[in-house]
Amino acid sequence: MKPHRSSLKPLKSATKSLRKRLTWKGELALATAPTAVILSVFALVEVLTRQRLLFASLASSAFLIYLDPQHGTNTVRTLVISQMMAAGIGFVTYTLLGSGYVSGGTGMIITIVLMILLDVMHPPAVATSLSFALKASNENNLVLFGLAVGITALLVGLERFALWLLTYLSSKS
């Protein structure tokens, strides 16, 4: 195993290991973007499918991005690879094994092992593999999930911009 796992530590550009807490207004500002993105994803899901639970793990992803936007777990690379890989694995185990504990457990184990091997540790992806393994009725859900992951990946950029803006504004005062 590599001694320096990038998805488990702050990004090189981060100046400190832990994010400094902001004022309640600053924290609310950081939480606004993920909340808006996830509500938009939910609206999209509602229009296109009834498989709402397949997208629940993205809400956890959004909260992690809000909590520590500079952490390696929350990079676009880590988010996209882990979530799409987990969805694909869950879908394949559902297709091969049907819906149930064997499918869910198999998908979860494969997802965890591959996240470790590929250095794309993003914990909400485990829930994604379970969601797809337990209820992935068609390929359209996988495509729609990919779109939702893409929208959530944009959130990473929005959060980094918001963090920069808050830092900039707080240095002016």
Side-chain angles (χ1 to χ4, degrees):
M1 289 180 62
K2 297 179 191 175
H4 300 10
R5 306 296 287 181
S6 66
S7 71
L8 299 177
K9 64 181 182 179
L11 299 175
K12 290 178 185 174
S13 62
T15 57
K16 50 190 153 285
S17 60
L18 297 174
R19 180 172 71 81
K20 182 181 173 187
R21 295 292 297 189
L22 304 170
T23 65
W24 73 269
K25 288 180 183 178
E27 292 293 332
L28 187 59
L30 277 180
T32 299
T35 302
V37 167
I38 293 304
L39 290 175
S40 299
V41 168
F42 285 161
L44 177 69
V45 168
E46 187 64 27
V47 169
L48 299 174
T49 184
R50 295 284 182 207
Q51 301 290 339
R52 297 174 186 116
L53 290 180
L54 296 179
F55 301 87
S57 67
L58 292 179
S60 296
S61 293
F63 185 78
L64 282 176
I65 293 164
Y66 145 75
L67 183 64
D68 196 353
Q70 295 182 320
H71 197 277
T73 297
N74 303 322
T75 64
V76 171
R77 174 190 174 272
T78 301
L79 172 79
V80 171
I81 292 173
S82 65
Q83 286 285 18
M84 290 308 299
M85 177 183 68
I89 290 167
F91 183 79
V92 168
T93 57
Y94 171 82
T95 302
L96 296 175
L97 304 172
S99 180
Y101 293 118
V102 173
S103 176
T106 302
M108 184 180 73
I109 290 167
I110 293 170
T111 297
I112 291 169
V113 168
L114 286 176
M115 283 194 310
I116 292 167
L117 292 175
L118 298 174
D119 190 22
V120 288
M121 295 300 296
H122 188 72
V126 175
T128 299
S129 68
L130 285 170
S131 295
F132 274 87
L134 297 174
K135 188 162 175 110
S137 59
N138 64 49
E139 299 83 16
N140 292 334
N141 289 333
L142 195 57
V143 172
L144 184 59
F145 186 79
L147 177 62
V149 168
I151 292 168
T152 306
L154 289 175
L155 175 62
V156 175
L158 286 172
E159 282 298 290
R160 293 214 174 114
F161 174 74
L163 191 59
W164 172 84
L165 184 61
L166 289 170
T167 303
Y168 175 77
L169 292 174
S170 66
S171 69
K172 293 275 189 189
S173 50

